[in-house]
């Protein structure tokens, strides 16, 4: 919790520092522009004076650019503040179990509980398991009406697959014809929250990472997980 707070403070502090530096630079550039404009007026050819409307246009153009830069800085500061607030609010998710699609961690011995999410029109379904490189390592026939199934993590010879992160998919068929293949869902314990350019990232068991928008459910840890 302290780490998250420190990170948020550093983010906001960095944004404020950057805004202050940018504002100083803008003021300096604006003063320089005025000095150059004054020098130009003092040294113009009296026989062919520069049209005053040209000076006005230059000043207006610079002011417009200055205003746009300041607006961008304000938006950047607000974005940093919102990210900090989001990080703090997501901190309450640490220790909870999040229901996510696709990726799950296998510890090398404990079966993985999976929510297959088979097509309602299916009369046949398969749980497809792939490693992190996208290679299919297992395919198990399952009841298409089952709410949950367990993947035992064993190969055809009865040996456990290596510990690691695996992607779970469910293929649904009807009368032998493919209906669809979707990502199956599972629960993972949240251990950390991180801010990123793509949104808040939640770190689950085994270092699995998910965007907060990909979380479809949240629950208290089960008694067996707490022991």
């Amino acid at each position: 919790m302290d780490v998250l707070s420190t990170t948020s403070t550093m983010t906001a502090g960095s944004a404020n520092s950057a805004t202050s530096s940018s504002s100083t630079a803008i003021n300096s550039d604006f003063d320089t522009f005025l000095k150059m404009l004054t020098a130009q007026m003092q040294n113009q050819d009296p026989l062919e004076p520069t049209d005053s409307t040209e000076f006005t246009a230059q000043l207006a153009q610079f002011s417009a650019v200055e205003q746009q830069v300041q607006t961008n800085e304000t938006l950047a500061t607000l974005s940093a503040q919102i990210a900090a607030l989001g990080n703090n609010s997501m901190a309450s998710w640490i220790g909870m179990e999040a229901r996510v699609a696709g990726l799950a961690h296998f510890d090398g011995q404990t079966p993985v509980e999976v929510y297959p999410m088979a097509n309602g029109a299916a009369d046949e379904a398969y749980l497809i398991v792939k490693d992190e490189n996208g290679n299919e390592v297992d395919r198990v026939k399952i009841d298409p009406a089952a709410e949950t199934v367990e993947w035992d993590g064993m190969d055809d010879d009865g040996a456990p697959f290596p510990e690691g992160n695996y992607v779970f998919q469910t293929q649904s068929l009807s009368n032998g014809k493919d209906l669809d293949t979707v990502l199956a869902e599972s629960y993972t314990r949240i251990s950390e929250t991180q801010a990123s350019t793509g949104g808040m990232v939640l770190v689950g068991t085994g270092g699995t990472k998910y965007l907060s928008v990909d979380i479809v459910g949240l629950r208290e840890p089960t008694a067996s997980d707490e022991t």
Side-chain angles (χ1 to χ4, degrees):
M1 197 69 67
D2 292 337
V3 174
L4 292 173
S5 299
T6 302
T7 302
S8 301
T9 302
M10 293 176 61
T11 301
S14 299
N16 291 335
S17 176
T19 301
S20 176
S21 300
S22 298
S23 297
T24 301
I26 289 176
N27 291 333
S28 176
D29 290 342
F30 192 69
D31 289 340
T32 301
F33 174 79
L34 291 178
K35 291 178 181 179
M36 292 176 62
L37 183 61
T38 301
Q40 184 178 355
M41 294 179 67
Q42 291 175 341
N43 296 284
Q44 64 180 321
D45 187 347
L47 300 178
E48 295 183 6
T50 303
D51 190 344
S52 61
T53 57
E54 183 177 340
F55 289 117
T56 303
Q58 292 176 354
L59 184 59
Q61 183 178 16
F62 186 86
S63 297
V65 172
E66 177 192 25
Q67 183 177 13
Q68 182 61 50
V69 172
Q70 290 176 334
T71 299
N72 290 343
E73 291 173 345
T74 300
L75 291 175
T77 300
L78 288 174
S79 178
Q81 292 173 342
I82 290 173
L85 289 173
N87 206 1
N88 286 332
S89 64
M90 289 293 178
S92 63
W93 288 24
I94 294 178
M96 301 286 283
E97 291 185 341
R99 182 166 170 169
V100 294
L103 191 64
H105 183 73
F106 175 58
D107 63 10
Q109 54 184 3
T110 306
V112 178
E113 183 180 36
V114 180
Y115 295 74
M117 312 299 292
N119 192 306
D123 56 23
E124 186 178 6
Y126 292 88
L127 180 66
I128 301 171
V129 185
K130 297 182 178 181
D131 61 21
E132 289 186 287
N133 296 319
N135 301 312
E136 183 175 321
V137 297
D138 201 9
R139 177 182 290 260
V140 183
K141 189 172 183 178
I142 61 174
D143 180 356
E147 181 180 349
T148 63
V149 297
E150 281 194 346
W151 181 62
D152 61 10
M154 300 290 181
D155 62 22
D156 294 338
D157 297 325
F161 285 100
E163 177 180 358
N165 300 324
Y166 293 84
V167 175
F168 294 83
Q169 298 176 319
T170 301
Q171 180 185 24
S172 298
L173 302 95
S174 178
N175 296 321
K177 294 183 178 180
D178 187 29
L179 293 178
D180 56 34
T181 299
V182 301
L183 292 175
E185 299 176 356
S186 62
Y187 277 95
T188 183
R189 176 78 71 88
I190 301 301
S191 60
E192 182 182 356
T193 64
Q194 302 174 348
S196 73
T197 55
M200 298 305 300
V201 174
L202 303 177
V203 182
T205 306
T208 51
K209 294 185 177 182
Y210 311 88
L211 287 176
S212 58
V213 295
D214 295 330
I215 304 301
V216 297
L218 200 65
R219 71 183 183 186
E220 293 283 351
T222 59
S224 59
D225 289 332
E226 293 179 333
T227 56

